[in-house]
């Protein structure tokens, strides 16, 4: 970043601060609807509603926790399978390489005499 970029960013920041300050002066700066609670109602009703929402959130988190344990188990199983198949593949490639190395002359002779 050069100095020109920084100056432009500082100028834009000052504009945003000025706009925000103007908006606060126009609305009183409290953003609560003129002292009334949002959606009206008493404090007890709003707290009861929040408690209900928290219960649902808690239930959903418990469900997600169980699902996460299941996913972890599946991931462990997949890791084990990958390790097994990579090891088995390595062994198969080694055996095929050994056979080709020991029988290379026979394989070349066989391929050379194959009729076309």
């Amino acid at each position: 970043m050069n100095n020109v970029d920084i100056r432009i960013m500082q100028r834009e920041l000052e504009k945003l601060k000025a706009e925000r300050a103007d908006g606060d002066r126009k609305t009183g700066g409290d953003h609560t609807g003129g002292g009334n609670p949002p959606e009206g109602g008493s404090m007890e009703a709003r707290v009861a509603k929040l408690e209900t929402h928290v219960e649902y959130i808690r239930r959903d988190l418990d469900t997600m926790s169980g699902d996460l344990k299941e996913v972890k188990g599946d991931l462990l199983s997949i890791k084990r399978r990958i390790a097994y198949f990579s090891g088995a593949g390595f062994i198969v490639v080694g055996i095929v390489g050994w056979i080709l190395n020991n029988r290379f002359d026979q394989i070349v002779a066989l391929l050379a005499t194959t009729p076309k």
Side-chain angles (χ1 to χ4, degrees):
M1 257 183 167
N2 57 28
N3 290 337
V4 176
D5 292 338
I6 293 173
R7 283 189 222 129
I8 291 171
M9 290 173 54
Q10 287 174 343
R11 199 174 313 134
E12 291 298 319
L13 180 62
E14 292 302 321
K15 285 181 188 177
L16 287 172
K17 284 181 181 179
E19 288 174 8
R20 193 170 282 173
D22 289 341
D24 284 348
R25 281 188 219 110
K26 290 176 187 172
T27 60
D30 55 358
H31 304 292
T32 60
N36 298 323
E39 300 178 9
S42 67
M43 180 68 80
E44 291 82 18
R46 291 187 299 154
V47 169
K49 187 176 179 182
L50 286 173
E51 288 174 346
T52 304
H53 288 302
V54 168
E55 289 175 14
Y56 287 124
I57 291 170
R58 183 65 167 188
R59 185 197 63 201
D60 293 343
L61 283 175
D62 290 341
T63 303
M64 286 191 298
S65 175
D67 292 344
L68 184 61
K69 288 178 184 178
E70 192 174 320
V71 168
K72 282 182 180 179
D74 292 344
L75 185 62
L76 183 61
S77 173
I78 290 169
K79 284 181 179 179
R80 287 180 181 161
R81 288 180 187 176
I82 289 172
Y84 172 77
F85 286 124
S86 63
F90 182 74
I91 290 172
V92 167
V93 167
I95 290 172
V96 169
W98 179 75
I99 291 171
L100 288 175
N101 188 32
N102 288 336
R103 304 292 181 182
F104 184 72
D105 55 339
Q106 292 176 351
I107 293 171
V108 171
L110 182 67
L111 290 175
T113 61
T114 305
K116 292 184 182 181

